[in-house]
Amino acid sequence: MPDLRTEFLDLPLANPLMNASGVWCSVASQLEALAECAAGAMVTKSCTLAQRDGNPEPRYRATPWGSINSMGLPNEGFPYYLNYARCHDYERKPLFMSLAGLTLDDNLTMVAELREAVTPVIMELNLSCPNVPGKAQVGYDFEAMDTFIHEIADAYDRPFGVKLPPYFDIAHFDEAAAILNAYPQIAFVTCINSIGNGLVIDPVSETVVIRPKDGFGGIGGDFVLPTALANVNAFFRRCPDKKIIGCGGVRSGEQVFLHLLAGAALVQVGTQLFEEGPLIFPRLLEELQAIMTAKGYDRITDFQGKLKTL
Ligand SMILES: O=C1NC(=O)NC(C(=O)O)N1
């Protein structure tokens, strides 16, 4: 039976799977379900300094190929998730905490408090929420991204990671990686967040399917897989001293396999977890093991990051 165990930042994990921030991780009951499920790690919903209701509903819609969402960062506020982080059983699995402050100052306030808190939680700095009306994604403003990371790295004393939007231009992969490589404290890069500001239209009602922003929202699911794999592999090639966490388009063991092949150390599940719940994890692990058995791989490192080119 192939061995799915792995490690991340010197922590042992039962397997490389975890939820994507925002899915099944907003309140304690969901977080407890993730702590008990088969996933090797877990991350909290991106939090802002204060509690937020988020955007008006309907703000999420599943489609045959994935999903569109404009949640607008609804969350219980930083203290709620910091309290959960204090109570989490780290022997069971690592916990990541996603921060998405609406301003640099808010992020610095949260990071300063996280620094003081005695907890082994791993910080994932979300630079890529596409759904807060009027707020451009920091990940698409390289000067702002450099400033945010510089200030936050200064204010925080531990390794952390960043959640990036998808990039679509080689020059942008180069520029983003150059910024990240200037900060050894950035231990990992999570690629990708949803593809921002897509538009799903119902042909029968001739209407958009979500209320916020005239129906514009982040796209997840099957359609984003090639872009997710490209971003994972682009940063895997450009940031040899950092780990890459893959996110986007995972609905079966095959896509987990592809993310790992492209260079991901861990793989996050979003849309399909939203639809299927935490029982998706045993299914994905079984499917991944079947693929590894068929290919004669005994462990993840037998193929991780070993994508071939022609
Ligand atoms: O970073 C985020 N990405 C998304 O696709 N949606 C959520 C949100 O809107 O809260 N945040």
Side-chain angles (χ1 to χ4, degrees):
M1 179 70 91
D3 182 354
L4 297 185
R5 284 174 305 171
T6 187
E7 54 80 32
F8 190 81
L9 306 189
D10 300 326
L11 295 168
L13 275 73
N15 61 71
L17 295 186
M18 63 187 288
N19 65 301
S21 177
V23 185
W24 217 283
C25 58
S26 295
V27 294
S29 58
Q30 294 172 327
L31 292 164
E32 280 146 21
L34 284 182
E36 284 154 24
C37 84
M42 60 187 276
V43 59
T44 60
K45 166 68 184 173
S46 292
C47 66
T48 46
L49 193 51
Q51 181 275 343
R52 266 177 71 86
D53 292 339
N55 291 339
E57 295 182 333
R59 57 193 187 185
Y60 174 90
R61 174 66 80 88
T63 67
W65 41 263
S67 67
I68 183 168
N69 93 83
S70 183
M71 310 303 280
L73 289 176
N75 72 95
E76 301 298 321
F78 173 71
Y80 183 96
Y81 300 102
L82 181 56
N83 184 51
Y84 177 81
R86 287 197 172 102
C87 308
H88 179 73
D89 175 4
Y90 292 88
E91 291 304 306
R92 189 154 202 172
K93 65 183 75 175
L95 171 71
F96 293 69
M97 188 169 172
S98 175
L99 300 189
L102 296 177
T103 63
L104 175 54
D105 271 357
D106 281 5
N107 275 314
L108 291 171
T109 302
M110 293 191 282
V111 159
E113 193 167 341
L114 192 57
R115 175 184 182 146
E116 295 314 311
V118 181
T119 159
V121 73
I122 302 168
M123 180 174 79
E124 182 182 83
L125 179 66
N126 183 352
L127 299 174
S128 47
C129 177
N131 300 323
V132 176
K135 296 289 290 178
Q137 295 184 63
V138 173
Y140 285 152
D141 176 342
F142 289 129
E143 200 175 323
M145 184 161 116
D146 195 0
T147 301
F148 266 58
I149 292 172
H150 181 84
E151 301 277 328
I152 287 162
D154 249 8
Y156 198 54
D157 58 345
R158 269 165 275 167
F160 65 98
V162 291
K163 174 83 169 278
L164 296 181
Y167 298 103
F168 302 91
D169 187 300
I170 300 298
H172 295 165
F173 292 139
D174 293 339
E175 194 162 352
I179 293 171
L180 301 179
N181 286 331
Y183 299 95
Q185 210 176 327
I186 296 179
F188 67 95
V189 186
T190 304
C191 300
I192 59 175
N193 208 315
S194 57
I195 294 182
N197 297 297
L199 186 61
V200 172
I201 299 172
D202 175 357
V204 175
S205 65
E206 302 170 12
T207 312
V208 301
V209 299
I210 55 174
R211 181 182 305 277
K213 293 173 55 181
D214 295 329
F216 285 64
I219 299 298
D222 300 351
F223 281 1
V224 312
L225 181 66
T227 295
L229 294 176
N231 279 260
V232 164
N233 193 243
F235 287 99
F236 178 71
R237 290 171 182 280
R238 289 169 174 79
C239 304
D241 303 332
K242 304 181 192 302
K243 296 282 189 185
I244 312 299
I245 298 182
C247 184
V250 175
R251 68 159 68 214
S252 78
E254 178 171 308
Q255 293 85 36
V256 176
F257 177 76
L258 295 177
H259 268 281
L260 294 167
L261 194 62
L266 304 182
V267 180
Q268 298 183 345
V269 189
T271 297
Q272 199 56 30
L273 170 61
F274 192 108
E275 293 305 310
E276 211 168 309
L279 284 178
I280 190 174
F281 290 113
R283 175 172 73 79
L284 294 177
L285 293 170
E286 218 172 277
E287 291 168 353
L288 175 61
Q289 280 187 316
I291 292 168
M292 290 172 66
T293 301
K295 289 169 170 284
Y297 293 135
D298 297 323
R299 59 194 58 76
I300 301 281
T301 49
D302 286 349
F303 63 94
Q304 190 173 36
K306 297 186 176 170
L307 172 64
K308 301 172 200 145
T309 55
L310 292 176

